[in-house]
Amino acid sequence: MPDTNSWQLRDGEQIVACNTSLLGHKHFLIGITRVRNEALILRDTLEYVSKHVDAIVAYDDASTDRTLEILGGHPKVAVIVANRSWETDIEARRIAEGRHRGLLLQTARELLQFDWMFCFDADERVTGDLRGFMEGTHSNEYDGVRVQLFDAYMTPGDHAPYQADRELLDFRRFFGPERRDILMLWRNRLEVIFAKHHAREPGGVERVATGLYCQHYGKSLSVDHWEETCEYYMRHFPFDTYGRKWRDRKGRAIHTQSDFMRPLYEWGDMLFANAVKM
């Protein structure tokens, strides 16, 4: 397959039109997301994201819960790429992440007109005025924005499981100081592509700013979810890269330090001042 953004639908994949009134109009900021079995947090995710974006294009990766139904019922979801066939091969799963996002980007360009794209995961919450920040960024020379992401942790006094009627933003009290700067926003230019070796971030974005902060809840929804996450990475990703790390984390959902043996901080200036870039 060439390293371009020319992705084809495969057997088991189909385009599902949702809110068609969003198609054919010029939008400032749209969102793309790739999800699988996110019904627990998805309603809150869509409500949160819809405050900032004009439309959403989603890839549902063979969910077995109500994810697809929830996506289809939200007014900001314009289109879903629905996959009915779960890929079990570990190497194929690794490649699939970039392919799915490439297909999302391509589908969005074919069906929507937009200036900027926001690539988000269901368990992430960017804090502050995301849309206002991007409106200010639009007039300058930047073509992309890296967002500073911190992991939330369950701690001895804060480990009750997340419930679907809660807001996920600020759900946990403590965060690890490890900071990942992730390219989540980029201007809609044709040189921006997801090639087969890409995963979370596309290629072709050269002038990049760093701004905004993001709370990541992948490690802290519940003890059961932590254990399921460990099993997922052990089964579906290369052992030397991910599996060994997550095997060692099993049974260690409750934290007094980060996974990297550093102090935890409440969300705010102390956390940001003690950030360790990963």
Side-chain angles (χ1 to χ4, degrees):
M1 183 177 292
D3 279 359
T4 70
N5 213 43
S6 298
W7 303 99
Q8 302 298 317
L9 290 175
R10 294 181 176 177
D11 290 343
E13 291 178 331
Q14 67 177 122
I15 302 292
V16 179
C18 298
N19 186 352
T20 57
S21 68
L22 296 169
L23 306 180
H25 298 288
K26 181 64 179 291
H27 302 294
F28 171 66
L29 177 64
I30 72 166
I32 62 170
T33 188
R34 172 179 176 263
V35 293
R36 173 175 165 81
N37 291 342
E38 297 287 7
L40 176 66
I41 61 175
L42 188 56
R43 291 188 188 278
D44 182 71
T45 299
L46 295 173
E47 286 304 304
Y48 148 77
V49 173
S50 66
K51 297 174 184 177
H52 303 284
V53 306
D54 302 309
I56 297 169
V57 181
Y59 188 102
D60 178 65
D61 196 6
S63 290
T64 57
D65 62 6
R66 295 182 60 243
T67 292
L68 189 59
E69 177 187 344
I70 294 170
L71 284 171
H74 196 277
K76 282 290 181 75
V77 177
V79 175
I80 303 169
V81 182
N83 178 27
R84 306 294 187 182
S85 178
W86 172 252
E87 178 60 72
T88 58
D89 180 76
I90 288 178
E91 180 61 18
R93 296 286 331 145
R94 184 186 66 80
I95 297 173
E97 185 170 354
R99 179 186 167 272
H100 294 169
R101 291 195 174 97
L103 188 56
L104 280 175
L105 177 55
Q106 178 176 297
T107 301
R109 284 174 170 161
E110 290 174 352
L111 300 177
L112 297 165
Q113 302 174 49
F114 59 96
D115 293 325
W116 286 85
M117 174 165 283
F118 173 42
C119 181
F120 64 94
D121 285 348
D123 58 6
E124 297 169 346
R125 296 293 182 272
V126 176
T127 62
D129 184 5
L130 189 157
R131 189 179 184 92
F133 182 89
M134 295 313 300
E135 287 171 346
T137 302
H138 184 63
S139 61
N140 66 30
E141 71 275 15
Y142 296 116
D143 294 323
V145 176
R146 290 189 178 277
V147 178
Q148 301 163 88
L149 181 145
F150 296 85
D151 289 331
Y153 284 91
M154 291 177 286
T155 56
D158 179 27
H159 57 84
Y162 173 80
Q163 302 293 328
D165 60 349
R166 294 285 305 272
E167 286 190 18
L168 190 55
L169 180 66
D170 296 325
F171 175 63
R172 292 299 180 202
R173 181 178 177 185
F174 290 103
F175 296 79
E178 295 80 21
R179 188 189 93 205
R180 287 173 283 162
D181 295 349
I182 298 179
L183 182 63
M184 293 188 186
L185 296 131
W186 56 83
R187 204 182 295 269
N188 184 21
R189 293 187 168 169
L190 291 180
E191 61 266 28
V192 179
I193 64 166
F194 279 93
K196 65 181 180 181
H197 61 281
H198 293 149
R200 174 65 189 265
E201 300 181 356
V205 186
E206 295 183 355
R207 301 175 298 179
V208 180
T210 299
L212 299 168
Y213 297 100
C214 181
Q215 300 176 356
H216 175 234
Y217 285 93
K219 298 179 178 181
S220 61
L221 293 175
S222 68
V223 172
D224 287 345
H225 183 266
W226 170 277
E227 295 298 313
E228 291 168 3
T229 300
C230 292
E231 290 289 343
Y232 174 80
Y233 279 105
M234 289 165 58
R235 289 197 305 266
H236 298 297
F237 286 80
F239 182 76
D240 289 336
T241 308
Y242 289 95
R244 180 181 289 106
K245 176 174 67 177
W246 285 97
R247 180 198 62 185
D248 295 342
R249 289 173 175 173
K250 280 183 63 64
R252 299 179 178 180
I254 310 300
H255 289 72
T256 56
Q257 294 179 308
S258 76
D259 282 338
F260 303 90
M261 306 304 291
R262 295 187 179 98
L264 302 177
Y265 298 89
E266 294 188 37
W267 188 260
D269 292 340
M270 282 292 291
L271 173 67
F272 307 147
N274 287 280
V276 178
K277 186 175 180 180
M278 301 295 283

